[in-house]
């Protein structure tokens, strides 16, 4: 997914959250006191704050702000490279004492990352990055690419794979930085320090870069934080932490083991030298907070919070809520799945006067959303009890309404965390409650309290029947063709041929599994139907060519680099709208059942990606429904159609503009130099194996260049099967040797075309590039496809995607289509964004890729 497409998806999800009244809120309060805020006159008990110790109203911090403003003003507007505000030395001395190293204060943790990594990770170094490390680290790591630093990403749930990669890189690079979070901001899990110790044992040039912003203050000696408390500190660690959040001031802080390294970053870190400094009010608050941390009082605040954390863990266990991970962190993540479930629970809690935050895409993967509950020392024991009790009411109710079980959640979040497995300790009470709610069919009373703008049309439909088939042979041919025979190259005969070619194949990329789903009403009428395949796909299939070029360079070492098992609407040998949906009836309910059936196959086949592809763009109702099911919209390449409304080539010419008419006349004139031959059932001569091999070589010429739609190459046996299929025909073009063609008259171009009803579609083609530019072999092939369709009396010609300019010259009409996608996690997308950044910079592709291999 490109950046613009990702932005559009995020916008859609955030808009849905806004409609629920959950995001981008502006409280009414004239004063805030930590526990609550008011919205439209309603007081809400809030569990969204990261001020875990609740120090922002502490008298010493407030007085620190007032004193600093009176002494130094509201701002000190000079960069630190020239002159620093007077409180800086005192604050850095206090932070050095507090953390046990050499502290460097930054205006924000994000700018601190950019300063430190920009200096410490150069063209001589490498960064191994946990893909779930905070976004600010990822951005800083990406910036290091501009200086030539090698950046490699590892999946969070498979963090142990980093060790092998670090070991290889340690022999090639001056320093290998392993970049992680101490406490992960969404899920609340703690980085496994034993793994970090193993990484440091690999080689002396391996170092750790750790962001412990969410671990600061609430634990440890002088509140130095979760990571330092568990791991300790030495010369091979650089720590970044926050002076916001539990520290309750502003800015960030870097910690080094030596003053030499501290001074090096201070003098050469661009954002530190050139960006605006931390201003006097927050310097005053930070000094006061640091002094409080260095006093015995900090332990009182820590203990208050830990009492609340222990109580919450106890109640969550008693209620059997689907907690992702239990530890001493004040961050609790309750698993739900799709964004709509998190929105439902959060909205129902809000209606009862409690604000909890739905954590959904893009901060977590699309199907790994939930409720992020953060506790602070402001919360009383009664507050904690109240929120857990209400969540224990609404979470099972929402899961029951969706027909989800604890097993479903376990499957969805499997491998979400390093080394995480799910036991049975909390399963029984929650599962029993869900089952009881399902049986009783009594949704929560709060289920009707959604904000009006967030409601979707409801269709009261009973007795929809879901039919699943694993072969097209099991479905009536006439019925199937009446629904989908003329679209997408998925006629009954074509699918039969595809099953023969791609079922149980030896090559992983050419071994497909087929699923056909029909949804009928109680009268037997088909409301929805679609073919699905499970196949190995390239994750960069829809990325820009320059991105795929870099991915393909890595595939020379590993052919399955960045490849994932996917569930596809349609097949990899089809193109067009593969979905039959009767919009005159209860289509939403039918679509929901069809997507559910696809989802079951997705889980059964352990796919990583679900793709509902080639659907018409510009359908807001479909956009809403697909997003409701957790499928995000991605623009697809335009597909070209030509509707035949004429009876002769002269009439065709008159239908074109002057320039296009001249272009087609040239093709007509050139056609006398080409011999067109047709091959297939009842057509022309049969092709020999040698001839088929030649056509396949022509196809590979094109396929190797077609990176804008990057797929695995189709096998030779497919052409042989098309040759024997009544629904396909092969067209070859031979250029007369007298006009520059090959002496042996071998074909210089060919295409495979699908025939069904009044539709004629060219799916794949091949050319000899020696005859493309001077002799126009490709353009002649396009013209001959149109001419053949006219000869057959066809009404519509499908010319497919890519080569837009060439096809428009023949009068085609581009059709805007889209894909609705869903991935289990962000890993492949994060890696592709890194490669896209690398491509934009124009650097040399990094050779290492072992940590990101996704094998079929």
């Amino acid at each position: 997914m490109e950046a613009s497409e990702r932005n559009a998806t995020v916008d859609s999800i955030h808009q849905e959250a806004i409609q629920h009244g959950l995001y981008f809120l502006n409280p009414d309060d004239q004063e805030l006191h930590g526990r609550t805020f008011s919205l439209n006159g309603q007081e809400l008990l809030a569990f969204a704050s990261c001020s875990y110790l609740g120090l922002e109203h502490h008298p010493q911090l407030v007085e620190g702000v007032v004193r600093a403003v009176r002494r130094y003003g509201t701002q000190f507007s000079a960069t630190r490279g020239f002159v620093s505000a007077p409180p800086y030395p005192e604050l850095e001395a206090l932070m050095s004492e507090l953390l046990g190293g050499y502290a460097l204060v930054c205006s924000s943790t994000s700018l601190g990352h950019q300063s430190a990594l920009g200096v410490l990770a150069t063209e001589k170094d490498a960064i191994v990055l946990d893909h779930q490390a905070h976004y600010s680290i990822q951005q800083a790591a990406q910036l290091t690419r501009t200086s030539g630093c090698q950046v490699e990403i590892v999946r969070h749930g498979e963090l142990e794979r980093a060790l092998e990669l670090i070991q290889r890189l340690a022999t090639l690079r001056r320093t290998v930085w392993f970049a992680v979070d101490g406490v992960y901001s969404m899920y609340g899990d703690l980085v496994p320090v034993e793994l970090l110790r193993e990484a440091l044992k690999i080689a002396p040039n391996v170092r750790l870069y750790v962001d412990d912003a969410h671990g600061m203050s609430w634990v440890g000696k002088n509140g130095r934080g979760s990571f330092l408390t568990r791991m300790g500190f030495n010369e091979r660690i650089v720590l970044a932490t926050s002076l916001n959040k539990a520290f309750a001031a502003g800015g960030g802080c870097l910690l080094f083991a030596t003053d030499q390294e501290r001074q090096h970053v201070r003098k050469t870190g661009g954002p530190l030298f050139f960006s605006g400094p931390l201003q006097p009010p927050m310097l005053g608050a930070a000094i006061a907070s640091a002094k409080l941390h260095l006093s015995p009082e900090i332990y009182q605040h820590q203990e208050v919070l830990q009492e609340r954390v222990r109580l919450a863990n106890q109640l969550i266990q008693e209620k059997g809520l689907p907690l992702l991970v239990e530890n001493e962190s004040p961050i609790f993540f309750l698993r739900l799945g799709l964004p709509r479930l998190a929105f439902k629970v959060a909205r129902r809690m809000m209606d009862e006067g409690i604000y909890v935050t739905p954590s959904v895409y893009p901060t977590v993967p699309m199907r790994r959303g939930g409720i992020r509950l953060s506790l602070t020392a402001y919360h009383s024991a009664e507050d904690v009890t109240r929120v857990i009790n209400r969540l224990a009411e609404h979470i099972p109710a929402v899961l029951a309404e969706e027909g989800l079980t604890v097993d479903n959640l376990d499957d969805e979040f499997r491998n979400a965390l390093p080394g995480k497995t799910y036991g049975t300790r909390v399963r029984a009470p929650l599962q029993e409650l869900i089952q009881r709610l399902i049986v009783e069919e009594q949704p929560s009373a709060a289920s009707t309290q959604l904000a009006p703008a967030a409601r979707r049309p409801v269709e009261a439909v009973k007795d929809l029947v879901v039919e699943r088939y694993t072969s097209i042979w099991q479905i009536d041919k006439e019925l199937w063709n009446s629904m989908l025979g003329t679209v997408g190259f998925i006629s009954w005969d074509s699918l039969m041929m595809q099953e023969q070619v791609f079922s149980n194949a030896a090559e992983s990329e050419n071994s497909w599994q087929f699923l056909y789903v029909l949804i009928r009403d109680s009268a037997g009428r088909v409301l929805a139907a679609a073919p699905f395949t499970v196949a190995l796909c390239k994750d960069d299939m829809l990325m820009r060519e320059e991105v795929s070029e870099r991915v393909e360079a890595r595939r020379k070492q590993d052919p399955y680099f960045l490849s994932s098992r996917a569930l596809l609407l349609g097949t990899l040998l089809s193109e067009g709208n593969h979905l039959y949906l009767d919009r005159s009836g209860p289509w939403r309910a039918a679509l929901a059942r069809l997507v559910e059936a696809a989802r079951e196959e997705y889980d059964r086949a352990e796919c990583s990606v679900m793709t509902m592809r080639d659907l018409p763009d510009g359908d807001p109702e479909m956009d809403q429904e697909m997003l409701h099911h957790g499928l995000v919209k991605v623009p697809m390449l335009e597909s070209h159609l030509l509707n035949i409304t004429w009876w002769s080539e002269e009439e065709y010419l008159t239908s074109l503009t002057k320039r296009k008419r001249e272009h087609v006349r040239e093709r007509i004139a050139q056609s006398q130099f080409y011999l067109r031959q047709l091959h297939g059932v009842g057509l022309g001569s049969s092709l020999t194996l040698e001839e088929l091999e030649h056509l396949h070589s022509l196809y590979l010429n094109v396929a190797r260049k077609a990176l804008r739609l990057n797929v695995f190459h189709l096998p030779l046996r497919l052409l042989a099967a098309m040759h024997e299929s009544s629904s396909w025909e092969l067209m070859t073009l031979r250029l007369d040797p007298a006009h520059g063609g090959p002496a042996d008259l071998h074909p210089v171009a060919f295409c495979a075309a699908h025939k069904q009803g009044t539709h004629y579609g060219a799916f794949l083609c091949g050319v000899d590039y020696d005859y493309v530019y001077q002799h126009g072999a490709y353009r002649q092939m396009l013209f001959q496809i149109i001419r053949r369709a006219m000869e057959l009396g066809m009404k519509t010609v499908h010319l497919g995607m890519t080569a837009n300019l060439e096809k428009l010259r023949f009068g085609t009409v581009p059709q805007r289509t889209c894909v609705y996608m869903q991935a289990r996690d962000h890993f492949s997308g994060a890696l592709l964004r890194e490669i896209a950044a690398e491509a934009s910079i124009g650097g040399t592709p990094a050779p290492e890729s072992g940590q990101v291999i996704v094998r079929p």
Side-chain angles (χ1 to χ4, degrees):
M1 185 185 296
E2 297 283 7
S4 60
E5 297 160 357
R6 180 177 180 272
N7 291 343
T9 299
V10 172
D11 183 87
S12 297
I13 292 173
H14 284 182
Q15 183 58 39
E16 184 178 357
I18 290 169
Q19 290 176 331
H20 281 277
L22 298 169
Y23 279 13
F24 301 99
L25 306 179
N26 295 298
D28 309 330
D29 306 78
Q30 299 301 308
E31 294 182 2
L32 292 172
H33 299 284
R35 284 178 62 251
T36 66
F37 65 83
S38 297
L39 195 67
N40 299 322
Q42 180 191 20
E43 185 179 64
L44 297 170
L45 177 61
F47 291 86
S49 174
C50 295
S51 180
Y52 303 115
L53 294 183
L55 298 179
E56 62 264 38
H57 290 286
H58 194 287
Q60 293 179 25
L61 273 70
V62 173
E63 180 57 31
V65 171
V66 173
R67 185 169 54 249
V69 170
R70 285 175 176 162
R71 295 177 67 183
Y72 308 111
T74 60
Q75 72 160 343
F76 187 87
S77 188
T79 65
R80 292 198 70 192
F82 296 121
V83 59
S84 295
Y88 260 108
E90 180 182 5
L91 176 58
E92 290 181 337
L94 289 168
M95 294 305 302
S96 296
E97 180 184 356
L98 191 162
L99 295 171
Y102 293 86
L104 181 60
V105 172
C106 326
S107 53
S108 72
T109 310
S110 298
L111 289 177
H113 293 323
Q114 294 179 25
S115 300
L117 289 176
V119 172
L120 301 174
T122 70
E123 80 284 354
K124 299 178 180 181
D125 309 301
I127 299 173
V128 176
L129 178 65
D130 180 349
H131 98 280
Q132 230 163 271
H134 195 270
Y135 185 69
S136 57
I137 294 187
Q138 297 192 37
Q139 287 292 92
Q142 193 171 108
L143 289 173
T144 67
R145 287 182 179 275
T146 62
S147 62
C149 180
Q150 181 175 340
V151 180
E152 300 288 347
I153 304 177
V154 289
R155 181 179 271 111
H156 183 62
E158 300 174 347
L159 206 54
E160 66 280 358
R161 291 193 178 188
L163 299 180
E164 180 183 349
L165 178 61
I166 290 170
Q167 189 166 30
R168 288 202 300 271
L169 289 173
T171 65
L172 304 172
R173 298 288 176 161
R174 179 184 63 182
T175 303
V176 180
W177 292 93
F178 190 12
V180 297
D181 283 358
V183 178
Y184 290 85
S185 60
M186 287 296 107
Y187 287 160
D189 55 311
L190 311 180
V191 68
V193 294
E194 288 305 318
L195 178 69
L196 302 186
R197 292 190 177 103
E198 288 298 314
L200 291 177
K201 292 177 183 177
I202 289 173
N205 62 334
V206 177
R207 300 187 66 184
L208 304 179
Y209 187 89
V210 182
D211 181 340
D212 202 34
H214 285 271
M216 184 65 187
S217 301
W218 54 263
V219 70
K221 179 183 177 182
N222 301 130
R224 62 183 49 180
S226 172
F227 176 77
L228 291 178
T229 300
R230 294 184 299 122
M231 181 75 183
F233 190 61
N234 59 53
E235 71 282 356
R236 294 169 66 187
I237 299 174
V238 172
L239 180 82
T241 193
S242 175
L243 303 185
N244 296 300
K245 301 181 175 64
F247 201 81
C253 184
L254 298 169
L255 186 70
F256 304 93
T258 67
D259 188 50
Q260 180 183 7
E261 191 164 57
R262 173 188 179 274
Q263 292 296 343
H264 182 48
V265 172
R266 180 178 182 238
K267 289 183 290 185
T268 56
L272 275 173
F273 190 94
F274 296 110
S275 297
L278 194 62
Q279 297 301 342
M282 288 300 98
L283 286 169
I287 288 172
S289 182
K291 290 178 178 178
L292 188 152
H293 278 67
L294 289 166
S295 75
E297 183 182 341
I298 191 65
Y299 304 113
Q300 299 172 22
H301 295 285
Q302 289 179 350
E303 180 55 30
V304 170
L305 179 63
Q306 283 304 309
E307 285 180 4
R308 306 296 180 262
V309 171
R310 288 191 290 269
L311 176 61
N313 278 320
Q314 175 189 336
L315 293 174
I316 287 171
Q317 290 294 335
E318 290 175 358
K319 300 294 183 181
L321 289 174
L323 183 67
L324 179 59
V325 59
E326 179 182 343
N327 54 38
E328 67 269 24
S329 162
I331 302 170
F332 299 81
F333 188 87
L334 301 169
R335 299 172 289 150
L336 285 169
L338 287 174
R340 71 169 187 266
L341 278 72
F343 292 155
K344 275 186 180 182
V345 171
R347 182 66 243 181
R348 295 179 187 190
M349 294 290 288
M350 199 168 181
D351 290 336
E352 296 193 9
I354 303 173
Y355 183 72
V356 295
T357 52
S359 180
V360 301
Y361 183 87
T363 56
V364 296
M366 180 62 75
R367 294 193 67 92
R368 288 180 178 171
I371 295 298
R372 181 188 184 274
L373 186 74
S374 58
L375 299 185
T376 75
Y378 279 124
H379 294 124
S380 66
E382 291 75 18
D383 294 336
V384 175
T385 302
R386 179 185 172 195
V387 71
I388 300 300
N389 284 342
R390 300 319 301 147
L391 286 168
E393 172 74 17
H394 294 301
I395 286 178
V398 168
L399 292 174
E401 290 169 19
E402 296 286 334
L404 296 175
T405 67
V406 178
D407 286 336
N408 297 140
L409 294 178
D410 286 354
D411 289 342
E412 203 58 65
F413 284 83
R414 184 172 289 114
N415 302 322
L417 303 181
K420 176 66 178 176
T421 57
Y422 295 101
T424 59
R425 183 166 50 143
V426 304
R427 295 164 55 85
L430 177 61
Q431 188 58 47
E432 290 171 3
L433 179 55
I434 293 172
Q435 291 298 333
R436 177 165 55 80
L437 289 170
I438 292 174
V439 171
E440 292 175 356
E441 296 184 348
Q442 293 178 350
S444 167
S447 64
T448 60
Q449 298 176 2
L450 289 176
R455 292 179 185 150
R456 297 167 56 255
V458 177
E459 297 167 338
V461 180
K462 295 182 178 180
D463 302 325
L464 287 184
V465 178
V466 181
E467 298 177 359
R468 299 174 178 83
Y469 304 98
T470 56
S471 173
I472 195 66
W473 285 89
Q474 299 167 310
I475 303 174
D476 179 75
K477 181 176 181 178
E478 184 177 350
L479 172 65
W480 182 265
N481 285 340
S482 69
M483 298 183 296
L484 291 165
T486 61
V487 297
F489 310 94
I490 50 171
S491 65
W492 193 95
D493 287 315
S494 178
L495 288 167
M496 177 184 67
M497 180 270 293
Q498 293 183 51
E499 288 182 18
Q500 293 169 345
V501 172
F502 294 103
S503 294
N504 302 312
E507 319 90 33
S508 298
E509 64 271 28
N510 291 321
S511 182
W512 305 349
Q513 300 170 34
F514 294 83
L515 173 70
Y516 306 91
V517 180
L518 275 65
I519 311 297
R520 297 181 188 265
D521 62 15
S522 57
R525 181 168 62 104
V526 177
L527 302 177
F532 295 93
T533 49
V534 173
L536 190 68
C537 295
K538 296 182 177 182
D539 294 332
D540 59 309
M541 180 165 56
L542 297 177
M543 296 294 287
R544 287 169 287 147
E545 289 181 79
E546 57 266 33
V547 177
S548 287
E549 284 175 359
R550 290 180 176 263
V551 176
E552 289 300 330
R554 298 193 182 195
R555 289 193 179 118
K556 291 178 181 178
Q557 297 179 1
D558 186 331
Y560 300 118
F561 172 68
L562 265 179
S563 301
S564 301
R565 189 176 301 280
L567 178 79
L568 303 167
L569 176 63
T571 77
L572 289 170
L573 191 65
S574 65
E575 180 187 309
N577 187 354
H578 310 83
L579 174 63
Y580 171 79
L581 189 62
D582 185 350
R583 298 286 278 264
S584 66
W587 66 273
R588 288 183 177 86
L591 179 64
R593 298 300 296 275
L594 185 134
V595 172
E596 288 170 8
R599 176 69 193 175
E600 290 172 7
E601 180 67 10
Y602 173 79
D603 290 334
R604 185 203 63 77
E606 298 183 343
C607 295
S608 299
V609 182
M610 179 188 292
T611 302
M612 307 286 280
R613 51 180 280 252
D614 300 1
L615 295 174
D617 196 11
D619 188 345
E621 289 184 324
M622 183 63 74
D623 295 346
Q624 181 186 28
E625 288 305 307
M626 290 298 188
L627 186 59
H628 178 74
H629 294 288
L631 291 148
V632 299
K633 183 178 180 180
V634 178
M636 187 66 172
L637 303 180
E638 291 181 334
S639 182
H640 290 262
L641 292 183
L642 184 64
N643 293 313
I644 298 178
T645 58
W646 55 84
W647 297 98
S648 67
E649 289 182 359
E650 281 303 317
E651 289 183 30
Y652 170 36
L653 289 170
T654 58
S655 70
L656 302 171
T657 63
K658 181 180 178 181
R659 181 172 295 182
K660 292 177 181 177
R661 190 181 309 130
E662 291 173 354
H663 176 78
V664 175
R665 284 194 188 280
E666 289 182 22
R667 307 288 81 73
I668 293 175
Q670 284 184 337
S671 66
Q672 62 183 310
F673 306 132
Y674 282 89
L675 172 64
R676 186 194 76 185
Q677 292 182 311
L678 300 170
H679 309 273
V681 176
L683 295 171
S685 59
S686 296
L687 294 168
T688 65
L689 176 59
E690 183 181 2
E691 290 172 320
L692 287 171
E693 288 174 339
H694 174 67
L695 297 187
H696 192 252
S697 71
L698 297 182
Y699 155 72
L700 291 177
N701 289 343
V702 175
R704 292 188 182 107
K705 290 177 175 286
L707 296 181
R708 187 60 185 89
L709 189 63
N710 196 19
V711 298
F712 285 109
H713 299 161
L714 298 167
L716 169 63
R717 64 179 180 275
L718 172 63
L719 293 183
M722 287 176 164
H723 189 222
E724 300 296 328
S725 172
S726 60
S727 62
W728 290 83
E729 65 182 28
L730 302 180
M731 179 192 300
T732 59
L733 291 184
R734 303 169 192 266
L735 180 62
D736 187 342
H739 292 276
D744 61 0
L745 260 180
H746 67 249
V748 297
F750 92 99
C751 79
H754 178 259
K755 304 173 292 184
Q756 180 66 34
T758 59
H759 291 252
Y760 189 80
F763 182 78
L764 58 85
C765 72
V767 295
D768 185 333
Y769 280 100
D770 290 339
Y771 302 94
V772 167
Y773 302 107
Q774 183 177 353
H775 300 282
Y778 179 68
R779 292 174 177 173
Q780 185 62 214
M781 176 57 66
L782 291 176
F783 171 67
Q784 292 293 344
I785 291 169
I786 298 170
R787 174 178 276 180
R788 174 60 176 164
M790 292 171 59
E791 293 169 357
L792 292 173
M794 299 292 182
K795 299 298 183 184
T796 305
V797 184
H798 301 258
L799 288 177
M801 302 175 183
T802 70
N804 290 351
L805 181 59
E806 293 292 348
K807 293 168 184 176
L808 288 171
R809 286 172 172 166
F810 288 92
T812 62
V813 179
Q815 308 294 304
R816 294 179 58 192
T817 62
C818 65
V819 176
Y820 298 95
M821 299 183 68
Q822 182 183 106
R824 287 199 186 275
D825 64 29
H826 288 165
F827 176 68
S828 293
L831 181 56
L832 280 170
R833 284 196 296 275
E834 291 294 320
I835 295 174
E838 181 183 87
S840 298
I841 295 167
T844 303
E848 302 297 330
S849 61
Q851 87 291 356
V852 292
I853 296 171
V854 183
R855 298 228 178 250

